Amino acid sequence: MRIRLEARAEPSQLMRWVSPLLAAAATLVVGFVLFTILGKNPLQAFYVFFVKPVESTYGVAELLLKASPLMLCATGLAAGYRANVWNIGAEGQLTLGAICGGGIALALQDQSGAWLLPLMIIAGAAGGMAWAAIPAWLKTRFNASEILTSLMLVYVATLGLSYLVHGPWRDPEGFNFPQSKMFGDAALLPNLLPETRLNVGLLIALAIVAAGWVFMRRSLAGFQMRVAGLAPAAANYAGPIGQLLPSMSPGYGFAAIIVAFVGRLHPLGVLLASLLMSLLYLGGEAAQIGLSLPSAVTGLFQGTLLFFLLAADVFINFRLRVQARPMPPIAAAQALGAGE
């Protein structure tokens, strides 16, 4: 007997949207087993991981705060993935955006005009687009794999930021820590809720998600992109750190890849998946404090979720076929001879 995958004539559209829920449920089962193996009460662990982080207004604000860059990155990635352009370098594009926007804030630190913040956003978007344009050019000019080139450029961007904050942009009054000067007040996004870190970045992210839906579903360019595979590079946006540090992101660019697929490459799905991924980040932080678990638990949940989602996609698009393996001619002749 042999087992093979056979393509389905019409994959179920309903299952495409239900499968993220099934993948999330399977991830919870894995988490239950994991917490049990680690000697933790699974119910208490789930409470600490998924409920405790959002029990307060501050916690909800942090959830929305962390979801904002995930929405922005994942919306851009989803647009490219629909055109079969596999950009894996959002983390590097996010970092370059932070360098360019932060560079404007540092160069114009003494300025307080209302134009400074829009200029930083434009510079950040331009930096992310320029970094994404490199693998795009290598793809169109030399047919180089955008998967490899965009991924390798992540490390170039990260090392470039590290050089800047260790060298020319390091704060001379920062006690030799690798960090830039703090940005001025005019270079920071206004807060939405008092006594929290939630800022106008959430509104920008929601606007970009809405614009992404209009672009992909209601514009001629979006239609051409889906049909012909023409995808513009997507710009990315960083969170409210207020200065440049060696690591500007806890892996948002990579997590956004999972968000894009969990959201089924649809802006509304991306919005919901961003909230789920943000909760995993917050839960991981709470688990480190409340349960003494390693930070790797967050990555494990993220990876497990993606694994089950991809597995579900396989069975949505293919069915298992069990067939009798044909007998080799010599073996068949021997079998006939034995029967006689």
Side-chain angles (χ1 to χ4, degrees), residues 98-231:
I99 290 174
C100 294
I104 294 293
L106 294 173
L108 304 175
Q109 197 168 26
D110 296 331
Q111 302 296 321
S112 58
W115 50 267
L116 178 58
L117 195 55
L119 181 62
M120 289 175 58
I121 294 175
I122 293 171
M129 292 174 64
W131 206 244
I134 297 174
W137 179 77
L138 292 173
K139 174 72 173 182
T140 56
R141 180 66 177 83
F142 301 104
N143 198 31
S145 169
E146 71 273 21
I147 296 175
L148 295 177
T149 54
S150 62
L151 179 60
M152 289 188 291
L153 283 170
V154 170
Y155 303 101
V156 178
T158 302
L159 290 173
L161 175 60
S162 179
Y163 163 75
L164 290 172
V165 297
H166 281 88
W169 288 3
R170 183 166 60 183
D171 184 1
E173 300 177 359
F175 302 99
N176 211 33
F177 284 101
Q179 60 189 30
S180 73
K181 292 182 178 180
M182 295 296 297
F183 300 160
D185 291 340
L188 300 177
L189 292 169
N191 271 24
L192 290 178
L193 289 176
E195 299 183 359
T196 71
R197 299 196 303 158
L198 183 63
N199 56 48
V200 175
L202 172 64
L203 302 182
I204 296 175
L206 292 174
I208 293 297
V209 170
W213 183 85
V214 172
F215 172 77
M216 286 190 277
R217 292 294 177 181
R218 293 292 184 267
S219 71
L220 176 61
F223 174 77
Q224 292 174 330
M225 179 198 72
R226 296 197 309 271
V227 174
L230 301 176

